[in-house]
Amino acid sequence: EVQLVESGGGLVQPGGSLRLSCAASGFTFSNYWMIWVRQAPGKGLEWVANIKQDGSEKKYVDSVKGRFTFSRDNAKNSLYLQMNSLRAEDTAVYYCARRIAETNTGGYFDSWGQGALVTVSS
Amino acid sequence: QSVLTQPPSVSGAPGQRVTISCTGGSSNIGTGYTVNWYQQLPGAAPKLLIYGNFNRPSGVPDRFSGSKSGTSASLAITGLQAGDEADYYCQSYDISLSGNWVFGGGTKLTVL
């Protein structure tokens, strides 16, 4: 069974940093593109970042470029989202998910974690 | 303002059929990239419901069906059940600017 478990969420002040982790199990992690999606309180879903199987290609939504860094450790079956210069508008539940696709475009997200809440507030 | 447009809410009585529309444009659905649908039950993570415009993952009942035409797509749910009450999101890929995976704003389904 595919499992994705996020951790590392919490309360952080504006301008601060936080690192989210996502532990994967139940599938050959290194074979898949992976993504982060976030959901602000009471709002819809927003794709945040995407990473290739070997970590060599990454893509970010414009609003987080230069502030967030997506990485993976295939030996540990883990994803990481380093979030710097956090803003109030980054407050959201962050989900890691598996992307099914053959290229760096398109595809769909077939398995999701339970989410980690990040609150940016003073 | 979401790139893909969905109605904020739809409702139906148990046993009825409802449809949820998803309207995009020439830079996303109209390019030929597929539309996918996700169901988010209250307090839960999203779950893949339909992929590749009309395919159902194993375990998803055939009461759920998807279609696509031009720059729009639709999700149909027949034989409505109380357990279908959830938020539904469409998703595709947009080739404009830097290229992003995009979602609709979500539709709240209420079973009356």
Side-chain angles (χ1 to χ4, degrees):
Chain A
E1 178 195 3
V2 173
Q3 277 205 317
L4 298 168
V5 180
E6 300 93 340
S7 61
L11 174 64
V12 60
Q13 292 189 338
S17 298
L18 206 59
R19 188 176 90 150
L20 299 181
S21 300
C22 172
S25 61
F27 64 103
T28 304
F29 179 70
S30 59
N31 286 353
Y32 291 88
W33 296 85
M34 300 295 293
I35 64 158
W36 288 95
V37 170
R38 67 184 178 183
Q39 185 171 34
K43 302 297 185 182
L45 302 171
E46 178 185 38
W47 164 77
V48 173
N50 174 70
I51 193 167
K52 193 178 180 180
Q53 290 92 329
D54 62 0
S56 62
E57 292 182 34
K58 304 174 190 181
K59 189 178 285 191
Y60 301 90
V61 68
D62 286 347
S63 59
V64 309
K65 282 180 183 175
R67 300 189 299 122
F68 289 14
T69 301
F70 192 3
S71 62
R72 65 190 295 165
D73 184 338
N74 287 342
K76 295 182 177 180
N77 288 349
S78 294
L79 302 172
Y80 306 100
L81 186 67
Q82 178 66 44
M83 303 182 292
N84 298 331
S85 303
L86 281 161
R87 306 166 180 167
E89 54 264 37
D90 296 318
T91 294
V93 174
Y94 286 73
Y95 298 100
C96 62
R98 188 173 75 172
R99 185 169 79 90
I100 304 299
E102 295 185 2
T103 68
N104 194 17
T105 63
Y108 56 93
F109 315 136
D110 75 330
S111 299
W112 298 64
Q114 85 288 351
L117 175 61
V118 173
T119 303
V120 184
S121 175
S122 55
Chain B
Q1 191 82 5
S2 300
V3 173
L4 305 179
T5 301
Q6 298 179 234
S9 63
V10 297
S11 62
Q16 285 190 333
R17 177 182 187 269
V18 296
T19 62
I20 299 173
S21 61
C22 175
T23 302
S26 58
S27 63
N28 41 73
I29 297 176
T31 62
Y33 281 104
T34 60
V35 178
N36 312 297
W37 292 89
Y38 303 87
Q39 177 193 59
Q40 187 174 33
L41 296 170
K47 168 193 166 186
L48 179 65
L49 197 63
I50 297 287
Y51 67 95
N53 300 324
F54 52 77
N55 300 291
R56 285 185 306 276
S58 62
V60 174
D62 60 6
R63 301 187 297 105
F64 296 89
S65 63
S67 63
K68 173 188 165 182
S69 178
T71 58
S72 295
S74 289
L75 173 71
I77 310 172
T78 59
L80 266 181
Q81 300 177 1
D84 297 333
E85 192 159 287
D87 292 323
Y88 293 84
Y89 294 90
C90 61
Q91 174 261 316
S92 188
Y93 185 81
D94 193 289
I95 63 172
S96 63
L97 301 175
S98 55
N100 289 337
W101 288 266
V102 290
F103 288 92
T107 299
K108 169 66 178 177
L109 168 63
T110 300
V111 180
L112 302 171

